[in-house]
Amino acid sequence: MKHFLDIHTTDAADLRQMIDMGQKMKSARNGRPKGTPDDEQPLKGHMVALIFEKPSTRTRVSFDVGVRQMGGETMVLSGREMQLGHGETIADTARVLSRYVDLIMIRTFEEATLQEMAEHATVPVINGLTNRTHPCQIMADIMTYEEHRGPIADKKVVWCGDGNNVFASFAHAAGQFGFDLTFTGPETLDPERAWIDWAAAKGRPITIDRDPHRAVAGADLVVTDTWVSMHDPESAKERRHNQLRAYQVNEDLMSKAKPESLFMHCLPAHRNDEATSAVMDGPHSVIFDEAENRLHAQKAIMRWCLGK
Ligand code: CP
Ligand code: NVA
């Protein structure tokens, strides 16, 4: 069963093949209206369940559109409205859904929910974000970097802010695609030890530098994300803002990176908190290309899962 659960648990050659396939499918659509189907219909006759236990704009729309472009059909399910949200086990949900659909994408809280779904489903399962990782996002980000600047291998990527789930998948990508990753943020919001150790074991030790200006010096890519994630308690907001203010990505900080550096943010953003509008709308920013590439990268991920 080819589940797409995380970047570090997927074969590096397969990841590369997915990025290249995403780019190929994107080029093939060049100039065509958004709603038109692809010439190739690899998902024709396939039904895909998209389960959301947390809010989403990009993941929801890009998966839905991607399936339809490839000739398949979707059903978007909210966790709350399913029996899953009312006591039915994840394992039973996985077994039942597998009788109806060909592929399951789930956005959830605990990683254990995703793992249990994958363990008991007899169809492929895709991770659409957990509290711990967000692999589809980083596949789109790698694709975006490479379409603007060529291979990401050996480039310097600097993450500013919270060592969260999106950072975790960047750490995995550093090991799998072979780039240098620096984390700059307060010690209290450091990434998980497990991911730091994993990247080091892969020969791509993560640099941790508390000084954002020193960290960003010479960067090829500067990345940030919201200071408060969907799974973080609202009560943490004020403390996090105080701790993270020094790590805001603004024009002054971006000026320390290479002149040809790119700026990324997975969105949704809180403008003028983690990044200023001047940076988000400025010459280094590729944030809307990232959002678009969710569509193309995920189409390739789904084809890989289904062997299509
Ligand atoms: N970046 C991302 O996953 O966005 P959504 O929460 O809108 O899906
Ligand atoms: N770190 C954010 C990413 C949202 C796409 C969150 O988990 O809320």
Side-chain angles (χ1 to χ4, degrees), residues 55-60 107 134 137 230 266-268 294:
S56 169
T57 297
R58 279 143 289 268
T59 306
R60 180 182 166 144
R107 164 169 289 194
H134 195 5
Q137 179 66 52
M230 291 182 273
C266 66
L267 305 177
R294 292 292 302 277

Side-chain angles (χ1 to χ4, degrees), residues 120-223:
H120 297 280
T122 54
V123 299
V125 173
I126 296 177
N127 175 0
L129 179 146
T130 69
N131 294 358
R132 226 175 157 208
T133 60
H134 195 5
C136 290
Q137 179 66 52
I138 280 50
M139 291 296 280
D141 293 355
I142 302 294
M143 181 178 158
T144 306
Y145 184 87
E146 295 197 333
E147 76 179 352
H148 283 274
R149 295 285 183 268
I152 196 162
D154 295 324
K155 297 294 184 197
K156 177 177 177 177
V157 178
V158 181
W159 177 277
C160 301
D162 179 18
N164 65 13
N165 48 358
V166 179
F167 174 85
S169 291
F170 256 108
H172 299 153
Q176 298 289 51
F177 291 93
F179 56 84
D180 291 325
L181 182 60
T182 296
F183 170 81
T184 184
E187 199 175 344
T188 45
L189 298 174
D190 266 350
E192 273 189 55
R193 189 77 243 168
W195 304 145
I196 294 175
D197 292 345
W198 185 87
K202 274 297 245 187
R204 290 286 166 175
I206 295 165
T207 303
I208 296 186
D209 192 336
R210 304 287 167 215
D211 178 343
H213 291 265
R214 196 170 53 206
V216 165
D220 295 286
L221 170 62
V222 178
V223 195

